[in-house]
Amino acid sequence: YKDDGSPATRLEADIESMLRKRLAKFAPDASVVGEETGGALSCSGVEVAIDPIDGTWAFLSGTETYTTTLGVFLDGETVLGVISNPTTGEIGYAVRGGEARLLQLSIFGEPDTASSLPEHGTTPDNVLVNIHPNRTGGSVVSALYEAWRENGVRMVRSPGGSPSWALVEAARGAFVYLNLWSKKAAEPFDLAPGVLLVRAAGGEVTDLDGQPIDALRHAGPFVAGINERARQQIAAIARDLASSS
């Protein structure tokens, strides 16, 4: 277990070690920031950030919401984000200035497929909400369920796992993703790859006041989605509770 109480596995360390060895041959001048071995972006040249298993609790419990997350940076700017879900065989990726894409690898012998994101649109009267589990977020969850009961939103769920995967789902278009992120600033592998996907898909990731977040340094709650009015609706629920507490 790490200092924050979250689990760590030997597999994660092995994945990160393999990446470092392969990258040393492929791009010897690139540096690596890893969830397991640490480091910090210098914002100079080519740098790679990896979280070998984002959502380790999901991995250990055998659920389908963990990922391997990879970000590539050039002079401190995110130029590539790759988020792989080994359970579903899906890989979301985006290159700066390009579109967001989703690969579906064969599971039952069918051909591999690829599609551009978003796949599905959301409208303010058809909002599906994915809220990341948070031990202090009970009042927000209750408010979202009340909005569901009153038909203000169409569904609320909280599967947890990898925030990066939830950002991929937001980029697909069906869900608005709310994460009551802590006051601890994000690491390069935490949000940057997924935020790049959402933005490449035509969406946005903002704080609760509607300001686009700095994916490399963000701290505090954020909301992600394709539809602006849907994002604003969910952000308002969380913001009103935060301001009254």
Side-chain angles (χ1 to χ4, degrees):
Y1 291 92
K2 301 177 184 178
D3 292 340
D4 62 0
S6 62
T9 68
R10 171 55 57 186
L11 178 61
E12 293 168 273
D14 289 345
I15 292 172
E16 195 164 308
S17 175
M18 179 182 66
L19 172 74
R20 288 181 178 274
K21 290 177 181 177
R22 293 191 178 186
L23 190 64
K25 295 180 179 180
F26 176 73
D29 294 332
S31 59
V32 178
V33 178
E35 166 71 11
E36 306 309 311
T37 54
L41 289 185
S42 66
C43 296
S44 177
V46 177
E47 299 174 278
V48 177
I50 184 172
D51 190 342
I53 300 179
D54 185 27
T56 306
W57 278 122
F59 168 69
L60 291 174
S61 62
T63 52
E64 74 284 358
T65 55
Y66 64 91
T67 65
T68 295
T69 301
L70 183 76
V72 179
F73 307 87
L74 178 62
D75 297 331
E77 297 291 331
T78 314
V79 295
L80 172 66
V82 182
I83 300 168
S84 169
N85 186 325
T87 303
T88 64
E90 294 169 294
I91 303 173
Y93 72 92
V95 178
R96 184 178 63 181
E99 62 180 343
R101 299 280 287 170
L102 185 71
L103 306 180
Q104 174 64 69
L105 304 182
S106 173
I107 296 178
F108 300 108
E110 75 281 10
D112 297 341
T113 60
S115 59
S116 298
L117 302 180
E119 296 176 323
H120 312 287
T122 56
T123 60
D125 59 351
N126 184 32
V127 181
L128 308 180
V129 184
N130 178 9
I131 178 169
H132 198 80
N134 186 298
R135 68 182 65 187
T136 64
S139 60
V140 176
V141 172
S142 296
L144 290 172
Y145 271 84
E146 180 64 17
W148 187 6
R149 188 185 70 81
E150 296 179 351
N151 295 317
V153 301
R154 293 294 297 273
M155 187 181 77
V156 179
R157 68 168 190 172
S158 186
S162 166
S164 293
W165 188 244
L167 288 168
V168 173
E169 290 187 323
R172 296 178 81 158
F175 282 93
V176 174
Y177 177 50
L178 174 63
N179 190 313
L180 305 176
W181 194 267
S182 71
K183 295 181 180 179
K184 180 182 178 182
E187 298 286 353
F189 41 76
D190 283 333
L191 301 178
V195 169
L196 181 64
L197 262 79
V198 174
R199 290 173 174 167
E204 188 54 272
V205 184
T206 72
D207 62 20
L208 299 185
D209 293 319
Q211 298 301 309
I213 69 168
D214 179 347
L216 289 174
R217 303 170 183 83
H218 179 72
F222 65 85
V223 61
I226 297 298
N227 185 279
E228 181 179 4
R229 289 179 62 191
R231 291 196 312 269
Q232 291 175 343
Q233 176 186 349
I234 303 309
I237 292 174
R239 183 179 62 248
D240 291 345
L241 287 169
S243 63
S244 63
S245 61

